[in-house]
Amino acid sequence: MKLSILDQAPVAEGQTPKEALEASMKLAQTGDAYGYTRFWAAEHHAWSSLASSSPEVFLGYIGAHTSRIRIGSGAVLLPYYKPYKVAENFNMLATLFGDRVDIGIGRAPGGSAEASEALSDGFLQQVFRMPELVDELVGYVENTDARVAAHPLPLYSPEIWMLGTSRKSAAFAAEKGLLYCFGQFMSDEDGAEILDAYREQYIPRQDSRPYTIMGVSVVCARTTEAAHDIAMSWLIWQVQQSHGGDGAIPSIEAAKAYELTAEDEKKLQSMKEKMIIGNPEEVADALRVIQDRTGADEFMIITITFSPEDKRKSYQYIAQALNE
């Protein structure tokens, strides 16, 4: 089973953003050592608790400290940017790191309305231009645009991925002949139906073929009880966000002590149902069941914990359980 990592460089209580980014680099090194296929950095804006605002910059740091694992964006929020500049950025990475670079693209705002306004004068208008923006990006990355080339031209062009959480994004990826990553951890949609629709509607581009990644939220520890304790930091942080908070990821002790309302309890239970939480055997079994049901070619795992060591161990346990 192919496994990959999606990371947002979350900032935990008592941690600086620099330390959070360094922890993400060490996580990428763990992925490199344990056979993970790719490490993708997310793009979020105006979140003090998430340090990954510029994946194209961050990936240079990640690439320089890893040797095998693919590196990419999960995702570059294309409506904010000119496709030519995105192509230049990722061609630069591919020139430095060879056949290891992915361009994951999305169209979500990735932050508040104020952040969107600060980034772009016409974000919504650009969202409507997404088909055109993608065509431009493909032309620059594949060097088929006759107007201008996006230098430096790498020996291996980056792979372009469409990221999404809906049938619309799957249909768009299929129409454009793009690789597709479905963020099940962010969606209430049926991932099996969406991936099936993508494969059925896929229109090959040159010699391309449909390929799917399922994005899932997982916390794995040596014991089931420990995994649930570790997961509380992320779960309570999500509850706090729903109340308008923007604080750091709380410690396990602080998360357990947080007073939940009846509505909070419902939210927490709903979030748990979307996650995989357990010991290595339980997590491996759950991933196998999802793969059998959806036919996903690969899993992109996101794990948010208070402790960077708990996070690295989670990914380590998963890889070991599935490779036994």
Side-chain angles (χ1 to χ4, degrees):
M1 182 182 296
K2 287 188 175 183
L3 301 172
S4 291
I5 298 170
L6 173 63
D7 199 56
Q8 301 166 313
V11 182
E13 288 181 356
Q15 191 181 46
T16 67
K18 182 176 186 292
E19 290 169 337
L21 292 168
E22 289 171 343
S24 289
M25 180 273 290
K26 291 177 182 177
L27 175 61
Q29 290 179 324
T30 297
D32 211 18
Y34 282 89
Y36 280 80
T37 300
R38 56 192 99 233
F39 177 97
W40 282 1
E43 178 179 334
H44 291 281
H45 300 287
W47 284 57
S48 64
S49 51
L50 300 175
S52 182
S53 60
S54 183
E56 62 272 28
V57 175
F58 188 29
L59 292 174
Y61 177 60
I62 298 298
H65 287 85
T66 53
S67 60
R68 179 203 56 81
I69 196 167
R70 295 185 67 89
I71 57 174
S73 53
V76 165
L77 306 180
L78 193 57
Y80 286 132
Y81 312 113
K82 286 283 192 178
Y84 183 72
K85 185 57 182 176
V86 174
E88 282 189 327
N89 286 337
F90 282 84
N91 275 357
M92 174 71 79
L93 290 168
T95 299
L96 290 168
F97 304 116
D99 191 19
R100 295 175 54 198
V101 178
D102 300 324
I103 311 177
I105 55 175
R107 63 177 189 176
S112 65
E114 291 80 6
S116 292
E117 185 176 348
L119 281 161
S120 172
D121 292 331
F123 175 76
L124 290 178
Q125 290 87 341
Q126 291 299 98
V127 167
F128 291 122
R129 293 187 63 240
M130 192 70 174
E132 181 183 339
L133 297 176
V134 170
D135 288 343
E136 286 184 29
L137 179 63
V138 170
Y140 292 133
V141 169
E142 297 184 348
N143 197 28
T144 57
D145 192 301
R147 296 171 298 173
V148 62
H151 290 283
L153 297 177
L155 184 60
Y156 301 99
S157 295
E159 287 187 352
I160 301 177
W161 290 78
M162 183 68 202
L163 280 63
T165 58
S166 66
R167 297 174 185 273
K168 188 172 183 179
S169 63
F172 182 83
E175 178 188 347
K176 297 294 183 181
L178 299 176
L179 308 168
Y180 182 60
C181 179
F182 174 68
Q184 184 68 79
F185 68 97
M186 296 173 61
S187 177
D188 293 323
E189 300 275 1
D190 185 330
E193 292 183 4
I194 286 178
L195 294 192
D196 281 344
Y198 162 76
R199 287 185 285 259
E200 291 169 3
Q201 299 171 26
Y202 187 83
I203 300 173
R205 186 171 50 80
Q206 298 177 352
D207 59 350
S208 65
R209 66 180 183 85
Y211 188 94
T212 59
I213 293 178
M214 176 74 75
V216 291
S217 177
V218 183
V219 174
C220 184
R222 191 176 296 279
T223 67
T224 305
E225 182 181 5
H228 280 273
D229 282 348
I230 292 168
M232 281 299 292
S233 292
W234 183 83
L235 289 165
I236 295 302
W237 179 72
Q238 287 284 91
V239 170
Q240 292 171 335
Q241 302 304 306
S242 72
H243 291 301
D246 186 26
I249 311 299
S251 67
I252 295 173
E253 293 75 18
K256 285 184 173 182
Y258 186 82
E259 293 187 11
L260 295 165
T261 66
E263 186 63 29
D264 290 338
E265 291 277 10
K266 291 180 182 179
K267 289 177 183 176
L268 190 144
Q269 188 57 40
S270 177
M271 288 186 289
K272 275 189 174 183
E273 291 172 359
K274 290 183 180 182
M275 298 177 66
I276 301 172
I277 307 172
N279 63 45
E281 183 178 337
E282 290 168 337
V283 170
D285 287 345
L287 289 172
R288 291 188 185 106
V289 168
I290 295 172
Q291 187 174 49
D292 288 343
R293 190 173 72 86
T294 66
D297 297 297
E298 186 176 326
F299 284 102
M300 177 75 66
I301 296 172
I302 180 168
T303 301
I304 296 180
T305 65
F306 170 75
S307 163
E309 183 179 0
D310 284 341
K311 182 190 287 190
R312 291 193 295 271
K313 283 184 177 179
S314 181
Y315 284 99
Q316 177 182 334
Y317 289 141
I318 296 167
Q320 290 173 329
L322 286 166
N323 290 327
E324 289 179 350

